[in-house]
Amino acid sequence: MKVIHVDMDAFYASVEQRDRPELRGRPVVVGGDPRSRGVVATASYEARRFGIHSAMPCREAYRRCPEAVFVPPRMAQYVAVGRQIRAIFHEITDLVEPLSLDEAYLDVTDNHLGEPLARTLAVHIKARIKAELDLTASAGVGPSKFIAKIASDLRKPDGLVVIPPERVEEFVATLRVEKFWSVGPATAKRLHAVGIRTGADLRARSAEELRALLGKHGAFLHGLACGKDERRVTPWREPKSKGSERTFAEDVRELRVLLESLDEQAERVLRSLDKLERTARTVTVKVRYDDFTTITRSRTLATGVGDARTLHETAADLLLHATEAATRPVRLIGVSVSGFVHDDGPTQLPLPGV
Ligand code: DCP
Ligand code: MG
């Protein structure tokens, strides 16, 4: 497997410096107001020299560098840039697994450019991000996700580190356990307590010994230390529908109760559609009667369902006119939407977790 991990440098701050040239070369802190209780989302590399970092209270950041420029985040802009970055990735391979707005794994073992050298692809991606978006990214190349991710972090900013398979062993040997995927402060502490500080220390122990110490996790870490990481790059797939359903504690005969439940569910479904930045044209109502017979009734609208009210009204209409709800007791009721249309233009790539 050939994996590239790409991570943008000081992402939010770099976008601000790009869009506001007067901020270039200056310490920039993206986050809350320095007088507020907010925390730092990220800091430009100029600000990091003062010891400012993500998750630090803004007040502390101000104390460390009063001349820093504090900028409120513009999420919509970062989402838009994240989408542009992702579009570049998708020109290389379909196997893109985003970890956040500014970070993704790419499995380039087979790629759309037919390029055998992952390093060449990483150079190409960085160059395109620079040329088209005027931003810098760091990339790591390796035979697994684990290696690629650590590599991308080694020479930030604007870094490129390639760890070929034959160098994995020595690379992992010198890694501190804190750097290992899945090792948080608590695990690190337990490992330190028994004298395990590096990948080499992990390898020197048997898988059984590590299992005795940390359970399954221990065996997994032993595998990582031996260069074993079988995790695939799994692209995020857009769901084909979004729905909600509710089983009642007791079968329901009153229409009012069914309609109230539909109302609640319509809200919920719309919220998840908003998250996906999608609207949908087909509304489906599902009803399960007291004898477990289950029916679905759908209607496709001319345009996308834009608000909870339209969704609720369509669902209620289906329930009243196309089902036997209320004349028969109902055990479960649900509403779902499908037939997604894009909110703003058909060329967008979906963004998970935003
Ligand atoms: N972020 C945040 N809060 C955090 C960490 C990150 O809001 N505690 C946001 C701001 C970052 C973005 O996510 O710009 C990406 O996070 P990274 O960890 O990749 O950090 P940066 O891209 O800012 O810097 P680096 O160059 O170290 O990757
Ligand atoms: Mg980053």
Side-chain angles (χ1 to χ4, degrees), residues 7-11 102 156:
D7 187 322
M8 302 298 291
D9 302 318
F11 184 50
D102 87 321
K156 266 184 166 292

Side-chain angles (χ1 to χ4, degrees), residues 44 86 114 120 138 153 158 180 187 214 224 252 280 344 347:
S44 70
R86 211 155 292 165
T120 306
S138 295
D153 205 39
D158 202 13
F180 273 63
T187 308
L214 299 171
L224 282 186
V252 173
D344 39 5
T347 54

